[in-house]
Amino acid sequence: MLIAFTNALPGNIAQGLIWGIMALGVYITFKVLNFADMTVDGSFATGGAVAVMMILSGKPVGLALVLAALSGVLAGILTGVFHVLMGIPDILAGILTQFILYSLNLNIMGAANKAVSVTNYPLLLSLRFVTKSIVISAIFVAAIVILLYIYFGTEQGSALRATGNNPQMSKAQGINIGGMKILGLAFSNGLVALSGGLFAQYQGFSDINMGRGSIVIGLAAVIIGDVIGSAIFGKRMNFMLRLIFVVLGAILYYIVIGLVLAMQFPSDDLKLFTALVVAIFMGVPYIKDRIQHSYKKAGKGAE
């Protein structure tokens, strides 16, 4: 078991880094905007579909990834339009876009899946070259974390964060709440689609179902990273550390998944295991607060 886990560890780290980019997108909507966005299950697959089809048509990999990210931006804008301009609740708006993207992805690929081989195309990432994939993915992650940190320190980025923290106060200060939501959704799904484009290269194909359940993985990464980061740094946990721990949460998630597979648990139970992991980490802060509250209450009663 230990040998199997050790052999699979580099691949788990590579996947964690790739999905960490997607988790950063989820962090923007889930934590910054306080918006429950279900679009990501569709935009992840859209990013993979666009990237693979562009590569198969002879376009440079860099251009393919840019177009993949732009496809995610458009998906996020569509969800924002549904929510802001049409008054559709956030969850339902994301689900509607996700449904649209399913058909769109089939039209983009012309089939349920499309393969792309590192033998025939100069892919950035590949299962065959895991070490190289780790290095390139880490570069992408570092660049994105730095850019997000810089952006959210600007006036517009601060307005975006304020929109999620206190919409009413932000509106009173003259911030265009609807515009900020659309902008945040565009950023988020752009990152998700970029991650999908990278992951499609890594696994060697795009698939209509490759994004199914990605929102759960993204939430798992965000929550795991937040719990562990808060436990280590407490109130010193600044925005940069939060972004870093989101990615670390994705890496830890895939390491745990690798451990489960090495222990020869049925692969059919992975989604069950994922849901339990998310539920546990979401419940930890609540249980911790309840315990602390009960101790304080008991202490006051003893006085």
Side-chain angles (χ1 to χ4, degrees), residues 136-268:
I136 293 176
S137 299
I139 292 172
F140 268 93
V141 166
I144 290 169
V145 167
I146 292 171
L147 289 174
L148 286 176
Y149 180 73
I150 293 172
Y151 171 74
F152 279 105
T154 64
E155 183 177 348
Q156 188 182 74
S158 298
L160 190 59
R161 295 170 69 178
T163 298
N165 287 332
N166 194 328
Q168 290 76 21
M169 181 62 71
S170 299
K171 187 175 182 179
Q173 295 297 320
I175 296 174
N176 184 344
I177 301 301
M180 287 295 104
K181 287 184 177 181
I182 294 174
L183 182 64
L185 287 164
F187 278 158
S188 170
N189 285 281
L191 289 175
V192 171
L194 174 62
S195 176
L198 290 170
F199 187 67
Q201 291 181 60
Y202 180 75
Q203 69 181 359
F205 64 93
S206 61
D207 187 89
I208 190 66
N209 292 315
M210 64 181 283
R212 181 171 294 178
S214 59
I215 182 63
V216 178
I217 298 174
L219 289 175
V222 170
I223 293 164
I224 291 171
D226 187 59
V227 170
I228 294 176
S230 298
I232 296 174
F233 291 98
K235 294 182 179 180
R236 295 174 297 164
M237 184 87 159
N238 59 28
F239 189 68
M240 173 64 85
L241 287 173
R242 291 187 186 281
L243 295 175
I244 292 172
F245 271 94
V246 167
V247 180
L248 291 178
I251 295 172
L252 288 172
Y253 169 80
Y254 269 96
I255 289 176
V256 172
I257 293 298
L259 181 61
V260 171
L261 292 175
M263 294 172 66
Q264 297 184 343
F265 281 95
S267 59
D268 291 343

Side-chain angles (χ1 to χ4, degrees), residues 100-134:
I100 292 171
L101 291 177
Y102 187 89
S103 295
L104 185 61
N105 294 339
L106 282 173
N107 281 280
I108 291 172
M109 293 187 291
N113 52 68
K114 284 287 184 178
V116 59
S117 173
V118 69
T119 305
N120 302 322
Y121 300 93
L123 305 182
L124 289 177
L125 310 175
S126 174
L127 277 165
R128 299 186 193 177
F129 307 105
V130 177
T131 302
K132 176 186 174 184
S133 297
I134 291 174

Side-chain angles (χ1 to χ4, degrees), residues 34-39 79 83 87-96:
N34 195 27
F35 190 103
D37 183 27
M38 299 296 292
T39 312
T79 299
H83 176 66
I88 299 174
D90 50 5
I91 294 179
L92 183 55
I95 292 174
L96 288 173

